[in-house]
Amino acid sequence: MGKLYLGEFEELVVTMVILLKDEAYGNTIVKAIKEHQNREVSLSAVHVTLYRLEEKGLVSSKVGGATAARGGRRKRYFQITNAGLALLREMKESRTELWKMIPQLQMNSI
């Protein structure tokens, strides 16, 4: 397998999975993106992305118990894997190095 990369939306979803910890499932991720990024995203886009990330081994999931509040349906909870966290760290370091080369993004240029 070649080197893995994350697209912008994949990175956003992975980041929300980390932020939400044990409460990371489709609807909470949609709400967290709205709250933290002021961005509207669809639940289906988040689900498709989560399953793609799981296929890549960057997140894992488990099914929770059924609840009456959800009409007996169960939630699928996601968590970051070690591979996902390592890739996110690598991306952060790579971007930080690139941003350091752009004078307009330096803190002292503001």
Side-chain angles (χ1 to χ4, degrees), residues 5 43 88:
Y5 294 95
L43 180 58
L88 202 57

Side-chain angles (χ1 to χ4, degrees), residues 2-3 7 25 29 31 37 40 44-45 47-48 54 57-58 77-79 83 97-98 103 106 109:
K3 182 171 172 59
Y25 58 92
I29 294 170
K31 290 176 185 172
Q37 295 291 298
E40 299 279 346
S44 62
H47 277 150
V48 167
E54 192 167 28
L58 303 174
Y77 294 92
F78 290 85
Q79 63 184 23
E97 288 304 312
L98 284 174
Q106 300 301 313
S109 68

Side-chain angles (χ1 to χ4, degrees), residues 4-102:
L4 286 177
Y5 294 95
L6 289 178
E8 184 271 338
F9 193 67
E10 290 176 323
E11 180 183 352
L12 181 60
V13 170
V14 165
T15 303
M16 293 306 155
V17 167
I18 295 170
L19 287 174
L20 291 165
K21 300 177 184 167
D22 293 337
E23 289 298 317
Y25 58 92
N27 273 326
T28 59
I29 294 170
V30 168
K31 290 176 185 172
I33 291 171
K34 173 65 178 166
E35 178 184 341
H36 298 292
Q37 295 291 298
N38 195 26
R39 180 171 166 181
E40 299 279 346
V41 298
S42 72
L43 180 58
S44 62
V46 169
H47 277 150
V48 167
T49 302
L50 286 167
Y51 293 130
R52 186 172 54 244
L53 291 168
E54 192 167 28
E55 286 176 9
K56 292 179 176 181
L58 303 174
V59 298
S60 62
S61 69
K62 64 181 178 189
V63 178
T67 63
R70 292 178 41 86
R73 292 178 298 148
R74 302 186 314 168
K75 296 176 186 171
R76 180 172 293 277
Y77 294 92
F78 290 85
Q79 63 184 23
I80 189 85
T81 63
N82 288 337
L85 192 56
L87 181 58
L88 202 57
R89 280 189 182 125
E90 183 180 315
M91 288 181 63
K92 179 187 174 212
E93 291 168 8
S94 175
R95 286 184 181 175
T96 299
E97 288 304 312
L98 284 174
W99 291 344
K100 286 179 183 175
M101 292 187 267
I102 301 173

